[in-house]
Amino acid sequence: MSKQETSQMSAPLPPQAIASGHEGNLRDQISAYGSRLKNGEMGALPAVGALAVLTGLFAALSPFFLTKLNIANLFVQAAELTTLAVALVFVILLAEIDLSAGVTAGVAMDIFYLTVKAGLPWQAAIVVALVFGAAVGALLGYFVAKIGVPSFVVTLSFFLAFQGLALVLLGDGGLFRVDIPEIKAIMNESLPTWGGWVLLVVMVGLSAGLGFWDRARRAKQGLVNRPISILAIKLATITILGGGTIFFLNLNRSQNALKPIEGVPIVIPFVLALLFVGNFFLDRTRFGRHLYAVGGNPEAARRAGIKVGAIRIAAFMITSTLAVVSGLFHVSRIGVVEASAGRSIVLSGVAAAVVGGVSLFGGRGKLIHAAIGAMVISMIDNGLGLLGLSAGISFLVTGSVLALAATIDALSRKRSGSSVLRS
Amino acid sequence: MAEPVIELKNITKSFGPVDVLKGVDLKAYAGKVTALVGDNGAGKSTLIKGLSGVQPYDGGTVHFEGQEVNIHDPRQASALGIEVVYQDLALCENLDIVQNMFLGREETSNGTLSEPTMELEATQALQSLSVRTVKSVRQKVSSLSGGQRQTVAIARSVLRNAKLVILDEPTAALGVAQTEQVLNLVRRLADSGVAVIIISHNLVDVFKVCDDIAVLYLGRMVAQIETKKTNQTDVVGYITGTKTYEGSK
């Protein structure tokens, strides 16, 4: 037995018992977290660090950065990218890629526009657009899972073809206004101030509910629970960060004294709901577990009886469908559908997921990582724009951040893999 | 002697013109470890693939607990209680031990995973094998050593209530100490009433842990002997074909 294993055995446990990682007091839990970090399981930590550094940097360099109006803008800008990045996580977890997600969203919005123009209500048009997204995903998944075309190639071909399809649908240089108040409201209007506080109560309530439910279920099986202080810290963090943000967004940020702008932008609860539901599926259902398994080792998943092809197709369908949602947010923000929509944002979406800590090698990463990554990318864009730097500089910086994130991903993978060779 | 858990009679299998198995007999008993040895190309893998349902046999009969069965796909083998632990282990490194042990058979209630139940059962399965080398059941498999991974793969078969566990070269990639641990684990697995078949090239290991030795030579079972009634020199002779096994006692 190696030294390492011997020292593990001397942990203060009853003889013969195998731990579950839930044992020990707060200090033990923190040191266990520290050793996971050392083993390369860094999660979103580098991205959170980047957020803190960027906030400090831009706040120091630009007096406008921390203004109420800019912060609200930043959240709205990030919402669109977050949705796309979250969508992409589902295929990236399988070590696949969907380069066509952006243009799929673009074409879906063209179809949305044409459906409304044809006289159908906008609600039905949204359903049509979402169904189109799901169908495209099913087709992509079929090519990847059943025929065996690499996802890079098949989604690249869709990326090219759908740019053409958008031109066919809207005509050359097509650009059409979408004047539906409900759609425009998503990105341009805010909740009443009390709505923000309701949102906070729901968030904290759901987190507390799940936290206590998990503890109760473990206790019922006679298993050890983590110290309750960890749950308390988590809930306090959500309350303070969420409450602070909502308080800030509830202040009047209008520069026009006659027309106040205050409240949480309507898109925020949508994005939070998406994160919560998506996370629930990934963490707490068989589908989510199988998705991670296929991403980690498809052969092992197949031998365990998991229908690998079906999982792949489902992942592509989720990605395309959620991408359409981000397309809807885009249309809501700019108020027009255009033939060139969605060409460039998909790469930012991939960048956001990777910067946030979702591994391109598959099997590792959470939706919240993509959201944090999207915040980083949006903040770089926003901050450099405020400093009056050109779009060229913004691309250069974003590219460097992505390269750094991908390097961290590759190195941490190496480190966590190297333990095989130890002992 | 008691009824064997698995009994193969006159098994044949060909790939085109090549006869890989030419009428093989094999028995494995509950509570006993049977070694399946033979040189490369003797037909060991083909024999195992037939039992696991990956590649059905061409001819011959298979009796499982006295009943004649016809295994033609892996799910069926699994339903009977036959589990194969492959050399490459088939574990997902990004998942933890519990998640790997329940992979594809997760327990749920109201559609959500019953993590505490699975964690408890996984821990009990490991403890039933007196596993002490694993620090935490919630460790990611990527952080485990080769021996620990082998342990997880074997414990998974216990969890599935396997009656016959087939181990493909379980110690091939392991160091001395870990080999020892895994062999002890195999012994405990058999002692718990499971029939175990080990494929191995390492005769030292075979003599240390196995009750029976079955020798394949060019698609024929040239000997199935009790370990204590033979010795390494003879077995090497049977494997290489330089010696012929003279009758049973």
Side-chain angles (χ1 to χ4, degrees):
Chain A
M1 196 183 280
S2 76
K3 229 179 209 165
Q4 191 204 4
E5 283 167 19
T6 324
S7 70
Q8 285 165 358
M9 300 251 330
S10 63
L13 293 167
Q16 296 224 3
I18 305 167
S20 62
H22 290 250
E23 292 80 2
N25 56 23
L26 191 54
R27 184 183 290 176
D28 300 334
Q29 288 287 328
I30 292 170
S31 76
Y33 177 66
S35 64
R36 280 204 299 278
L37 287 184
K38 248 190 265 169
N39 279 324
E41 288 178 44
M42 278 186 286
L45 199 65
V48 171
L51 268 188
V53 171
L54 286 172
T55 307
L57 192 69
F58 289 135
L61 293 176
S62 163
F64 299 109
F65 183 72
L66 283 185
T67 59
K68 288 171 281 192
L69 192 61
N70 189 54
I71 295 291
N73 271 344
L74 183 58
F75 273 108
V76 170
Q77 284 166 12
E80 193 183 321
L81 187 61
T82 299
T83 310
L84 187 64
V86 162
L88 287 164
V89 169
F90 287 87
V91 288
I92 296 177
L93 278 179
L94 297 181
E96 306 282 358
I97 194 84
D98 184 357
L99 297 175
S100 64
V103 291
T104 300
V107 171
M109 282 302 111
D110 300 344
I111 292 173
F112 168 80
Y113 168 75
L114 294 172
T115 312
V116 172
K117 206 175 136 193
L120 267 76
W122 60 269
Q123 293 93 335
I126 289 182
V127 173
V128 171
L130 291 174
V131 168
F132 171 77
V136 170
L139 196 57
L140 290 172
Y142 179 79
F143 273 108
V144 173
K146 300 293 173 187
I147 302 182
V149 187
S151 58
F152 183 85
V153 179
V154 64
T155 61
L156 181 63
S157 68
F158 273 65
F159 175 69
L160 296 172
F162 277 2
Q163 291 182 30
L165 184 56
L167 286 170
V168 171
L169 287 174
L170 294 186
D172 275 342
L175 185 98
F176 300 94
R177 281 168 63 84
V178 175
D179 254 332
I180 304 164
E182 288 89 344
I183 300 293
K184 289 182 94 168
I186 300 173
M187 296 293 265
N188 296 305
E189 305 285 334
S190 301
L191 297 176
T193 47
W194 58 264
W197 298 116
V198 171
L199 183 63
L200 182 68
V201 170
V202 171
M203 266 164 50
V204 176
L206 280 173
S207 309
L210 279 179
F212 282 108
W213 184 48
D214 285 345
R215 293 179 69 87
R217 286 201 304 171
R218 287 185 66 85
K220 199 174 146 202
Q221 297 287 351
L223 296 170
V224 189
N225 265 310
R226 290 200 167 86
I228 193 135
S229 47
I230 294 204
L231 181 58
I233 291 170
K234 197 178 145 197
L235 294 176
T237 312
I238 296 174
T239 312
I240 292 167
L241 284 181
T245 310
I246 288 166
F247 174 76
F248 197 77
L249 290 172
N250 275 346
L251 300 173
N252 180 12
R253 52 181 178 269
S254 176
Q255 283 152 332
N256 178 348
L258 296 174
K259 192 173 174 272
I261 306 175
E262 55 189 19
V264 175
I266 289 176
V267 71
I268 303 291
F270 278 107
V271 173
L272 289 175
L274 175 66
L275 284 171
F276 179 81
V277 172
N279 200 41
F280 191 91
F281 267 91
L282 285 179
D283 274 1
R284 293 171 181 270
T285 66
R286 298 187 75 185
F287 171 75
R289 180 64 41 83
H290 293 176
L291 194 76
Y292 279 102
V294 173
N297 187 346
E299 177 58 18
R302 191 186 64 77
R303 286 193 206 160
I306 295 171
K307 295 194 170 64
V308 175
I311 296 280
R312 285 216 171 100
I313 292 175
F316 275 95
M317 287 176 75
I318 294 172
T319 297
S320 297
T321 311
L322 291 181
V324 173
V325 176
S326 90
L328 184 70
F329 292 167
H330 179 75
V331 169
S332 166
R333 185 164 62 86
I334 66 171
V336 292
V337 292
E338 51 181 336
S340 65
R343 284 183 196 170
S344 56
I345 193 176
V346 70
L347 297 179
S348 300
V350 175
V354 174
V355 165
V358 180
S359 174
L360 280 171
F361 299 101
R364 283 191 299 150
K366 287 168 169 290
L367 297 184
I368 188 71
H369 296 171
I372 294 170
M375 201 64 193
V376 172
I377 304 275
S378 302
M379 198 180 267
I380 291 172
D381 235 21
N382 175 286
L384 293 179
L386 287 180
L387 294 178
L389 294 171
S390 67
I393 302 291
S394 175
F395 277 125
L396 279 171
V397 173
T398 309
S400 314
V401 170
L402 176 58
L404 184 67
T407 309
I408 293 174
D409 179 21
L411 288 179
S412 68
R413 182 182 138 94
K414 232 184 199 170
R415 184 176 297 186
S416 63
S418 69
S419 59
V420 186
L421 306 173
R422 279 204 309 259
S423 72
Chain B
M1 199 168 222
E3 183 183 61
V5 172
I6 194 98
E7 182 168 14
L8 304 181
K9 269 189 199 149
N10 201 25
I11 294 295
T12 56
K13 175 80 189 173
S14 329
F15 296 104
V18 186
D19 296 331
V20 180
L21 300 176
K22 306 166 187 165
V24 173
D25 295 350
L26 179 71
K27 288 179 192 169
Y29 297 91
K32 298 221 168 193
V33 184
T34 306
L36 181 61
V37 298
D39 213 342
N40 293 334
K44 304 188 296 290
S45 302
T46 311
L47 193 65
I48 294 316
K49 280 180 183 159
L51 270 179
S52 65
V54 178
Q55 248 172 29
Y57 301 129
D58 292 342
T61 58
V62 181
H63 284 84
F64 189 83
E65 295 186 316
Q67 299 284 320
E68 182 165 350
V69 289
N70 185 10
I71 305 169
H72 47 73
D73 82 78
R75 235 166 265 187
Q76 200 187 357
S78 187
L80 284 173
I82 300 175
E83 291 290 337
V84 184
V85 179
Y86 291 99
Q87 206 170 357
D88 54 1
L89 301 175
L91 299 174
C92 291
E93 292 202 357
N94 59 329
L95 300 183
D96 66 32
I97 293 177
V98 178
Q99 292 169 342
N100 266 289
M101 285 175 70
F102 277 92
L103 195 62
R105 300 159 194 236
E106 294 84 2
E107 290 178 17
T108 56
S109 65
N110 301 323
T112 61
L113 297 170
S114 306
E115 294 287 354
T117 316
M118 291 194 275
E119 184 176 313
L120 187 68
E121 287 173 20
T123 309
Q124 284 165 347
L126 287 165
Q127 277 173 347
S128 77
L129 293 170
S130 310
V131 170
R132 286 176 221 184
T133 50
V134 176
K135 180 180 62 165
S136 157
V137 287
R138 287 296 182 185
Q139 264 177 296
K140 292 245 161 85
V141 165
S142 61
S143 71
L144 299 181
S145 67
Q148 290 171 322
R149 286 170 196 229
Q150 191 66 249
T151 305
V152 172
I154 293 173
R156 174 158 67 176
S157 63
V158 172
L159 198 63
R160 293 179 180 177
N161 293 316
K163 290 168 182 156
L164 171 66
V165 176
I166 301 165
L167 302 161
D168 186 9
E169 299 265 9
T171 58
L174 302 184
V176 177
Q178 297 205 350
T179 299
E180 185 74 25
Q181 284 167 23
V182 169
L183 291 180
N184 288 336
L185 187 65
V186 169
R187 193 63 255 173
R188 287 197 292 271
L189 181 65
D191 291 346
S192 72
V194 175
V196 181
I197 296 178
I198 285 191
I199 299 180
S200 182
H201 279 296
N202 187 331
L203 288 183
V204 179
D205 291 355
V206 166
F207 273 82
K208 209 181 279 173
V209 73
C210 296
D211 303 294
D212 273 331
I213 301 178
V215 186
L216 267 180
Y217 176 68
L218 297 181
R220 286 183 203 287
M221 192 62 80
V222 291
Q224 180 160 7
I225 338 158
E226 276 183 71
T227 309
K228 54 183 179 240
K229 288 183 182 160
T230 184
N231 58 60
Q232 279 201 39
T233 327
D234 284 351
V235 171
V236 170
Y238 306 143
I239 292 174
T240 54
T242 52
K243 235 179 213 169
T244 315
Y245 176 56
E246 317 277 354
S248 56
K249 288 160 207 170

